[in-house]
């Protein structure tokens, strides 16, 4: 037996027009031999907001987001609904400023790990260079050579002895600056005698003397000590 279903438009903002805007809530009245389950099946492609049973008919409220001609089949009846869009063509372009290809930015897959590795390598290299500079700045031999080159005829009596004893103390962990002249390899007796001679010149009333001769002898002692210490370290 065929079901005869009567469909009436009821209570809608546009209930008396043939067109509905996308997203409008549409309410219809359905009467006849039909079940709620059949109504839900008929409107399965739409958003059903509410189905209300009232005496001998159903009141159905639904929403359609499908633009164009929509056809709902209920029993042997067809309900045609025309849904129109509320936006214009220009609004369809969500990113209007990118409509021109020249304005588009293409993100490149930059080698981030390679860059980070390079930075880490550079930091390690610079740190190594810095450590070398620091070590050289603390090297007793470098300090001696730098300071001995600044000695002149006016200060040599004090400075030559001071720089030579400073080098010996920093290298051999002795106390020549405190006047404790001890034989500790590779120091020899002649080295101590030279330092005592410098002390005599420092406190002597006779201020004459060739400071270049004393300076060169101090440099020779330092060079010999440095060479022997290196040789002993290799053994």
């Amino acid at each position: 037996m065929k079901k005869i279903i009567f469909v009436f438009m009821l209570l809608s903002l546009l209930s008396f027009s043939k067109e509905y805007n996308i997203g409008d809530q549409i309410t219809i009245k359905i009467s006849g031999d039909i079940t709620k389950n059949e109504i839900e099946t008929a409107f399965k492609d739409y958003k059903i907001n509410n189905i209300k049973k009232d005496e001998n008919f159903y009141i159905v409220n639904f929403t359609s987001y499908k633009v164009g001609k929509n056809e709902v089949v209920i029993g042997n009846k067809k309900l045609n609904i025309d849904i129109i869009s509320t936006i214009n063509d220009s609004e369809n372009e969500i990113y209007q400023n990118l409509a021109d290809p020249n304005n588009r930015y293409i993100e490149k897959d930059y080698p981030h790990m390679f860059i980070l590795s390079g930075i880490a390598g550079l930091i390690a290299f610079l740190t190594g260079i810095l450590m070398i500079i620091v070590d050289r700045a603390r090297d007793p031999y470098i300090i001696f050579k730098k300071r001995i080159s600044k000695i002149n005829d006016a200060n040599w009596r004090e400075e030559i002895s001071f720089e030579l004893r400073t080098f010996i103390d920093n290298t051999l962990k002795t106390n020549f600056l405190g006047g404790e002249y001890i034989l500790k390899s590779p120091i020899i007796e002649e080295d101590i005698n030279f330092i005592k001679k410098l002390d005599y010149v420092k406190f002597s009333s006779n201020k004459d003397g060739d400071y270049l001769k004393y300076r060169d002898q101090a440099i020779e002692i330092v060079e010999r000590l440095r060479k022997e210490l290196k040789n002993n370290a290799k053994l």
Side-chain angles (χ1 to χ4, degrees):
M1 178 179 179
K2 292 186 178 180
K3 298 176 181 179
I4 302 176
I5 302 172
F6 300 93
V7 181
F8 302 93
M9 301 304 298
L10 176 69
L11 301 177
S12 175
L13 292 175
L14 298 173
S15 59
F16 298 102
S17 69
K18 295 181 180 180
E19 294 182 341
Y20 296 89
N21 290 328
I22 186 171
D24 279 349
Q25 291 191 23
I26 305 171
T27 302
I28 63 173
K29 181 179 179 181
I30 304 174
S31 62
D33 187 11
I34 190 171
T35 65
K36 182 179 179 180
N37 184 60
E38 289 176 312
I39 294 175
E40 290 176 342
T41 301
F43 287 91
K44 61 182 177 61
D45 295 330
Y46 305 90
K47 180 184 178 184
I48 300 176
N49 302 314
N50 185 40
I51 299 178
K52 183 178 179 183
K53 183 73 167 28
D54 189 358
E55 295 182 355
N56 297 322
F57 54 84
Y58 287 94
I59 297 176
V60 182
N61 181 274
F62 67 97
T63 303
S64 176
Y65 296 99
K66 183 180 179 182
V67 178
K69 299 292 184 179
N70 290 263
E71 183 179 82
V72 180
V73 179
I74 307 174
N76 61 351
K77 297 292 182 181
K78 292 182 180 180
L79 175 64
N80 293 315
I81 306 171
D82 191 7
I83 304 298
I84 62 174
S85 175
T86 58
I87 60 176
N88 55 43
D89 292 340
S90 62
E91 291 175 328
N92 282 324
E93 298 176 0
I94 300 177
Y95 302 101
Q96 298 183 37
N97 60 319
L98 299 181
D100 185 353
N102 294 326
N103 295 333
R104 297 176 186 174
Y105 168 75
I106 300 177
E107 183 178 356
K108 297 181 179 179
D109 185 15
Y110 290 103
H112 299 293
M113 293 304 298
F114 178 77
I115 294 175
L116 291 176
S117 299
I119 293 175
L122 179 60
I123 292 175
F125 174 76
L126 294 177
T127 301
I129 295 296
L130 180 61
M131 292 303 297
I132 293 174
I133 294 174
V134 171
D135 289 342
R136 285 181 61 85
R138 295 177 178 177
D139 188 339
Y141 177 73
I142 299 297
I143 294 174
F144 172 81
K145 293 286 287 185
K146 182 178 180 180
R147 291 178 178 176
I148 202 74
S149 64
K150 297 180 180 180
I151 291 176
N152 53 51
D153 189 49
N155 62 12
W156 70 272
R157 294 171 182 83
E158 296 82 11
E159 294 302 322
I160 291 178
S161 175
F162 177 81
E163 297 303 336
L164 178 56
R165 289 185 294 169
T166 297
F167 172 80
I168 294 173
D169 286 349
N170 289 337
T171 304
L172 301 177
K173 309 303 179 185
T174 54
N175 189 26
F176 273 60
L177 284 172
E180 298 178 10
Y181 304 145
I182 61 174
L183 287 172
K184 183 177 181 179
S185 180
I187 294 291
I188 58 178
E189 190 70 36
E190 286 78 2
D191 299 334
I192 295 177
N193 290 337
F194 176 71
I195 294 174
K196 289 180 178 180
K197 185 177 181 179
L198 288 173
D199 291 341
Y200 172 78
V201 171
K202 176 181 178 181
F203 295 106
S204 174
S205 58
N206 182 9
K207 300 300 180 182
D208 294 332
D210 184 359
Y211 87 93
L212 294 177
K213 177 182 176 181
Y214 287 96
R215 186 198 67 181
D216 292 344
Q217 187 171 349
I219 293 174
E220 289 178 4
I221 292 174
V222 168
E223 294 290 351
R224 177 178 55 80
L225 294 177
R226 180 168 178 262
K227 181 178 180 180
E228 292 189 22
L229 287 171
K230 283 187 175 182
N231 291 335
N232 292 336
K234 294 179 181 179
L235 297 178

